[in-house]
Amino acid sequence: MLEELLIFTRGGLILWSSCRALGGAALLKGSPIDALIRSCLLEERSGDAGFTKDAYALKWTFNNDLGLVFVAVYQRMLHLLYVDGLLAAVRKEFSQIYNPKRVSYDDLFTETFRQLHLEAEARAEAMNKSKQQPTNPSSGSGAGRGPAGKKLGPNARAGGGAAGKKNSGSGKDDSDGDSGKEHNGGFTANGTVAKGGQENGAVKDSSRAARAVVVDNDGKENGDPNDGAFDVNTLRKKTGGKKGGGGGKKNDVKKAAKTEPKKVVKQMRVWDDKPPKNEKLDFTDPADERGEEVIEKVLTNQGDSMMDKDEDLSSDSEDEEDEEEENAGAGQKKKGWFSSMFKSIAGNNVLEKSDLQPALKALKDRLMTKNVAEEIAEKLCESVAASLEGKKLGSFTRISSTVQTAMEEALLRILTPRRSIDILRDVQAAKERGKPYVVVFVGVNGVGKSTNLAKVAYWLLQHNLSVMMAACDTFRSGAVEQLRTHARRLEIPIFEKGYEKDPAVVAKEAIQEATRNKSDVVLVDTAGRMQDNEPLMRALSKLINLNKPDLVLFVGEALVGNDAVDQLNKFNQKLADLSTVPTARLIDGILLTKFDTIDDKVGAALSMVYISGSPVMFVGCGQSYTDLKKLNVKSIVKTLLK
């Protein structure tokens, strides 16, 4: 049963609703259409086949030329086969009566929809009945059937014995291209070939020829037909004989000698018997000797954090390369000016999917070269195709430029945060409530959680906020000492309990300590863990559920490609599955590290935001405490499409 069919504009104006027009239907639970708009249409996932929300399944279609959206909602357990056809029929009929100045169609479209609904249900019922009728099994093993699989008369079966054997061997009818080439036409009633005038005896001769033994160039058979084993020596002889008549073994030996790699023997390190002149190997500044001096040096020489500067992430060299490419291509553009003008002068052409495919394929390949995950690039292209299909192409407008513009708008919508990412404002709000603002850093091994935690602490210190670190990585050797060094250099307190302790309990005690000391922010460092490590993911879920942090930051490398999708998907999935509360706490934001090492391969930012829906809040771009930036969305989009 169809729950609701809704027609609205892309601006959000509801033009017609089956519930409102027909009446008698209860309101949908959980607002599935709102969820579809938020999670699918606004997130450039409109190319998906469907969407599910709680107990409902939703399907949709567009009229891009008129800017209309048609959405059908039905029970998830019901597999309604007629929904796609009904949506297509509704789109066709409603588009004919649509008037942009009219805002309600209850009295104009209700009867039309009722008729379309009944026709769609009747077609689906007839289709189900036809599928349920048993089919008569074919007699024999395919004998007596023509090229289209139709049953022939008894004479045809009697005369077409060879053809019947052929069909039984292949298990298919003769409608494919190969069999059509053999027979040169269809069968007549008496079993002869319709074209070419050959009888079935020719087919028998061909079958005998197929059973003939193949003879090689030396006049020897490939092997006894009764032998099922493959003769390797004969194959070697044949391949060797092609290059010089019987020199196969020598050639094989030469090839083996050429292809065999030389073994690289590792040279042992030679140590002098004499002790080294400088016996001190640990150059770490001890806290008791020069701690205060080091702290003063760090705080005065590092300067302001890049978080407070609006910088373009693209380098000047990249801009210069763009200008050179434009100047180099200017001559080619002048040469083909008239041809391109005549190609684009015919406007008002309706865009079809086949017209968009070449431009979309080139755009997908370009995104993948920028390190965008293949799955994400494909979904983005499908969404752009769905948004452009059916639109009219204006005069002097190329399809490639139209697709490029649509993709640029889509990328800007995806990467632009939909909620406030002003952490300083959130810290002040928590401070007014008398509670510390808690940030938990999570991620896989070796991405730089502790280092970037120190960068965030340095940025917060510059805004006159009191910060405390919590060493909750009780798993990795040296993790507590690493964080202790950062705390000493930044002159901020650190809460630690050593190793082999429950990280959730350590974080809870750290928050209590920060509340007593009236610290503004608590930065919680956690152990790196792979997304498939069940025990560590369970410990992380416990830490988040027990302490309820204000912000959960996923720290990921900008170097990853397809693995970014798997990491974020499984992190969120594990946090949801292992949560002990009904509303599971998932990842709130992303911190991208090692952004200074990727050149123009910025696709990881797009992949992570697309798959999680969380914004990129910080970008790590160096080894100093000041090397922390905001994500420049326009620069990223420009780099992706360059």
Side-chain angles (χ1 to χ4, degrees):
M1 176 183 176
L2 191 68
E3 295 290 333
E4 184 176 7
L5 194 140
L6 191 67
I7 305 173
F8 57 93
T9 65
R10 287 188 179 272
L13 177 63
I14 298 177
L15 301 175
W16 187 85
S17 170
S18 61
C19 292
R20 186 177 64 189
L22 301 176
L27 293 175
L28 300 178
K29 298 179 180 179
S31 302
I33 296 179
D34 293 343
L36 169 70
I37 295 172
R38 287 194 306 268
S39 304
C40 204
L41 303 185
L42 292 178
E43 294 288 341
E44 296 300 327
R45 292 182 172 88
S46 55
D48 295 348
F51 176 76
T52 57
K53 171 66 175 176
D54 298 334
Y56 299 105
L58 295 88
K59 290 192 175 182
W60 62 91
T61 186
F62 303 107
N63 186 322
N64 292 311
D65 189 29
L66 300 178
L68 301 178
V69 183
F70 304 83
V71 180
V73 185
Y74 58 94
Q75 289 290 336
R76 189 176 180 179
M77 65 179 67
L78 302 177
H79 300 284
L80 301 183
L81 302 177
Y82 63 84
V83 173
D84 293 327
L86 177 62
L87 281 173
V90 168
R91 179 182 61 183
K92 179 180 178 182
E93 294 294 333
F94 190 85
S95 300
Q96 294 175 358
I97 64 173
Y98 174 67
N99 184 359
K101 297 181 180 180
R102 192 182 180 99
V103 296
S104 179
Y105 292 82
D106 292 347
D107 55 343
L108 192 61
F109 187 68
T110 302
E111 289 300 324
T112 305
F113 170 75
R114 185 181 284 110
Q115 184 65 27
L116 293 175
H117 192 195
L118 292 174
E119 291 176 359
E121 286 182 334
R123 284 195 299 269
E125 187 176 353
M127 189 182 299
N128 288 334
K129 287 182 179 180
S130 63
K131 288 182 179 180
Q132 292 175 0
Q133 291 179 357
T135 57
N136 294 326
S138 59
S139 58
S141 58
R145 292 190 177 271
K150 296 181 179 179
K151 191 174 180 182
L152 304 176
N155 294 332
R157 275 181 278 140
K165 291 179 182 178
K166 198 155 196 163
N167 284 347
S168 63
S170 62
K172 299 180 180 178
D173 55 21
D174 293 329
S175 60
D176 56 2
D178 294 338
S179 59
K181 291 179 182 178
E182 286 186 45
H183 300 310
N184 295 324
F187 288 86
T188 59
N190 58 0
T192 60
V193 183
K195 294 183 181 180
Q198 296 180 354
E199 301 290 338
N200 288 333
V203 181
K204 293 180 181 179
D205 293 337
S206 64
S207 64
R208 293 193 193 102
R211 292 193 298 269
V213 180
V214 181
V215 180
D216 62 8
N217 296 331
D218 297 335
K220 296 181 181 180
E221 296 181 358
N222 284 344
D224 190 353
N226 298 326
D227 282 343
F230 192 84
D231 194 353
V232 180
N233 295 326
T234 304
L235 178 62
R236 288 178 178 174
K237 185 178 179 181
K238 288 176 67 179
T239 54
K242 291 181 182 179
K243 290 187 178 181
K249 293 183 179 179
K250 294 181 180 180
N251 292 336
D252 292 341
V253 173
K254 291 180 181 179
K255 288 181 181 178
K258 290 180 180 179
T259 57
E260 184 177 359
K262 296 181 180 180
K263 295 182 179 179
V264 180
V265 181
K266 184 177 180 181
Q267 300 294 331
M268 299 296 293
R269 187 184 299 273
V270 179
W271 298 94
D272 295 334
D273 296 335
K274 300 179 181 179
K277 297 180 180 179
N278 189 1
E279 297 181 357
K280 180 184 177 183
L281 299 179
D282 186 5
F283 295 97
T284 305
D285 298 319
D288 54 349
E289 295 180 5
R290 296 196 300 136
E292 296 179 358
E293 181 182 346
V294 171
I295 292 169
E296 184 180 356
K297 184 179 179 181
V298 170
L299 293 178
T300 55
N301 292 348
Q302 290 281 337
D304 295 334
S305 175
M306 294 182 183
M307 277 293 295
D308 302 320
K309 301 176 183 179
D310 294 330
E311 287 191 17
D312 192 353
L313 293 180
S314 60
S315 61
D316 297 335
S317 60
E318 293 175 351
D319 296 336
E320 293 173 359
E321 290 174 2
D322 291 344
E323 294 178 1
E324 291 176 0
E325 291 175 0
E326 290 177 1
N327 295 333
Q332 298 178 357
K333 289 182 180 179
K334 289 181 180 178
K335 292 179 181 179
W337 184 82
F338 283 104
S339 60
S340 63
M341 182 190 71
F342 285 117
K343 285 181 181 179
S344 60
I345 196 171
N348 295 331
N349 292 328
V350 178
L351 291 174
E352 297 181 358
K353 198 168 186 179
S354 57
D355 302 329
L356 301 170
Q357 286 304 320
L360 288 173
K361 186 180 184 304
L363 202 55
K364 176 186 173 184
D365 295 340
R366 192 185 311 169
L367 290 174
M368 291 176 61
T369 59
K370 304 294 183 180
N371 214 20
V372 178
E374 182 180 3
E375 177 187 354
I376 306 301
E378 187 172 352
K379 286 185 177 181
L380 279 171
C381 291
E382 290 175 357
S383 178
V384 169
S387 65
L388 291 178
E389 189 176 356
K391 271 191 175 181
K392 289 183 179 179
L393 189 66
S395 301
F396 299 98
T397 306
R398 295 185 179 182
I399 295 178
S400 59
S401 61
T402 303
V403 172
Q404 178 100 351
T405 303
M407 180 62 77
E408 184 177 354
E409 293 174 355
L411 295 179
L412 283 172
R413 282 196 299 271
I414 292 170
L415 291 173
T416 302
R418 286 180 172 76
R419 60 177 178 81
S420 174
I421 58 172
D422 189 355
I423 295 181
L424 298 177
R425 188 186 67 176
D426 297 338
V427 171
Q428 292 297 334
K431 190 175 180 180
E432 292 175 0
R433 297 193 301 267
K435 296 181 180 179
Y437 187 81
V438 182
V439 184
V440 175
F441 292 77
V442 303
V444 299
N445 309 77
V447 294
K449 289 183 296 299
S450 302
T451 303
N452 285 274
L453 181 148
K455 294 179 184 179
V456 174
Y458 181 80
W459 171 65
L460 293 172
L461 288 174
Q462 288 188 320
H463 290 272
N464 300 320
L465 296 172
S466 58
V467 183
M468 187 178 78
M469 293 182 178
C472 295
D473 184 357
T474 62
F475 182 78
R476 177 174 63 90
S477 299
V480 176
E481 287 78 6
Q482 179 185 4
L483 208 64
R484 188 187 301 157
T485 302
H486 286 304
R488 176 175 53 80
R489 292 175 64 86
L490 295 175
E491 201 177 12
I492 59 177
I494 178 174
F495 187 89
E496 56 172 288
K497 286 290 185 180
Y499 295 97
E500 297 183 0
K501 301 293 190 301
D502 189 351
V505 176
V506 176
K508 185 177 181 180
E509 294 178 359
I511 296 171
Q512 293 173 352
E513 181 70 16
T515 305
R516 286 192 294 268
N517 298 337
K518 295 184 179 181
S519 297
D520 298 327
V521 184
V522 179
L523 303 179
V524 180
D525 186 30
T526 62
R529 65 205 76 212
M530 296 306 293
Q531 59 268 27
D532 298 319
N533 193 322
E534 183 78 18
L536 288 180
M537 289 303 298
R538 190 176 297 277
L540 178 63
S541 177
K542 178 183 176 183
L543 185 149
I544 294 175
N545 292 328
L546 180 64
N547 296 285
K548 297 180 176 58
D550 298 282
L551 183 65
V552 179
L553 274 182
F554 179 85
V555 184
E557 283 183 334
L559 303 168
V560 295
N562 291 328
D563 198 38
V565 178
D566 186 59
Q567 288 177 10
L568 270 169
N569 260 336
K570 290 189 176 178
F571 257 82
N572 271 332
Q573 188 63 42
K574 289 291 184 182
L575 291 177
D577 294 342
L578 300 174
S579 177
T580 56
V581 294
T583 55
R585 184 67 182 276
L586 305 179
I587 291 169
D588 301 317
I590 299 169
L591 194 158
L592 273 178
T593 65
K594 307 177 185 178
F595 212 77
D596 54 321
T597 64
I598 59 173
D599 194 23
D600 63 343
K601 304 294 189 293
V602 296
L606 176 63
S607 299
M608 289 184 176
V609 174
Y610 186 90
I611 203 65
S612 66
S614 303
V616 175
M617 307 184 73
F618 300 99
V619 174
C621 52
Q623 301 296 323
S624 302
Y625 288 135
T626 58
D627 293 331
L628 195 69
K629 290 183 179 181
K630 298 177 183 177
L631 184 72
N632 192 322
V633 174
K634 291 183 179 180
S635 176
I636 295 295
V637 173
K638 178 183 175 182
T639 306
L640 285 171
L641 298 179
K642 185 176 65 176

